Amino acid sequence: VLLNPAWQELTGFGVGESIGTPFLDYVHPDDRARNAREFEPLIARRRTSSRYEVRYLTRDGAFRWVEVQARLTLDERGEPSGTTGTLTDQTERKRAELLSIGQSRLLEEIASGAALGRVLDGIVRFAEEHATPSIATLMLLRPETGDLTLASAPRLPETVRQALGVV
């Protein structure tokens, strides 16, 4: 197994510490089954190459969107001996794409006359998805009293929501 220094740039994990670790350990848990499905035809020699997007774990606990391009390598007997390929960071492009989709969904909710609570919950969930790991809240200012009231916090524990009811 060979990795080059770009691996450490992408993930923050050192090349030496990564050798011998199953690559699926670095794949986002929600992407592991799909990643295995994409990779299996290559290993089974039903395809000569594979190309797909997946999220890879970084040392700081975040994930980066990566385009995987892999080819099967064969030994002198023509038997599979490994894979070669490239991992290309697609995080910024994917983030912009997901932000655009999320913005469109929220605007559709607003335009369809969705209840304010539903729209605010959508905004908070959207913020949480794009600033992981995080738990977001949305507070509204009551101008007549100067109080902040909790408007949305779908993932905040109930005891904390009650404590933050009015600030």
Side-chain angles (χ1 to χ4, degrees), residues 94-113:
K94 194 70 170 182
R95 183 173 291 141
E97 183 181 296
L98 292 171
L99 286 171
S100 178
I101 291 168
Q103 179 183 25
S104 293
R105 284 188 189 141
L106 285 170
L107 290 173
E108 286 172 15
E109 290 265 334
I110 293 167
S112 72

Side-chain angles (χ1 to χ4, degrees), residues 34 89 119:
R34 183 176 54 80
D89 191 350
V119 172

Side-chain angles (χ1 to χ4, degrees), residues 42 49-52 66-71 84-88:
L42 185 65
S49 65
S50 187
R51 181 178 176 181
Y52 55 94
V66 175
E67 179 186 62
V68 176
Q69 294 187 53
R71 288 191 159 292
T84 60
T86 59
L87 303 175
T88 306

Side-chain angles (χ1 to χ4, degrees), residues 10 23-24 26-28 30-39 47 50-57 63-70 86-98 101:
L10 179 69
F23 76 92
L24 280 178
Y26 296 103
V27 174
H28 188 289
D30 293 345
D31 294 348
R32 287 179 183 161
R34 183 176 54 80
N35 188 91
R37 282 192 309 274
E38 291 284 350
F39 208 70
R47 290 175 50 191
S50 187
R51 181 178 176 181
Y52 55 94
E53 286 185 345
V54 67
R55 291 170 289 179
Y56 268 76
L57 170 70
F63 289 89
R64 312 254 340 138
W65 279 99
V66 175
E67 179 186 62
V68 176
Q69 294 187 53
T86 59
L87 303 175
T88 306
D89 191 350
Q90 297 292 320
T91 304
E92 292 308 314
R93 179 194 58 79
K94 194 70 170 182
R95 183 173 291 141
E97 183 181 296
L98 292 171
I101 291 168

Side-chain angles (χ1 to χ4, degrees), residues 105-163:
R105 284 188 189 141
L106 285 170
L107 290 173
E108 286 172 15
E109 290 265 334
I110 293 167
S112 72
L116 179 61
R118 182 173 163 183
V119 172
L120 296 178
D121 283 352
I123 291 169
V124 170
R125 284 192 175 93
F126 182 75
E128 290 174 341
E129 288 173 13
H130 297 283
T132 57
S134 68
I135 295 178
T137 63
L138 203 147
M139 308 280 291
L140 294 178
L141 175 65
R142 296 195 183 274
E144 64 279 0
T145 63
D147 292 336
L148 284 174
T149 58
L150 187 62
S152 178
R155 290 188 45 226
L156 204 60
E158 182 61 32
T159 55
V160 178
R161 276 202 303 262
Q162 289 175 358

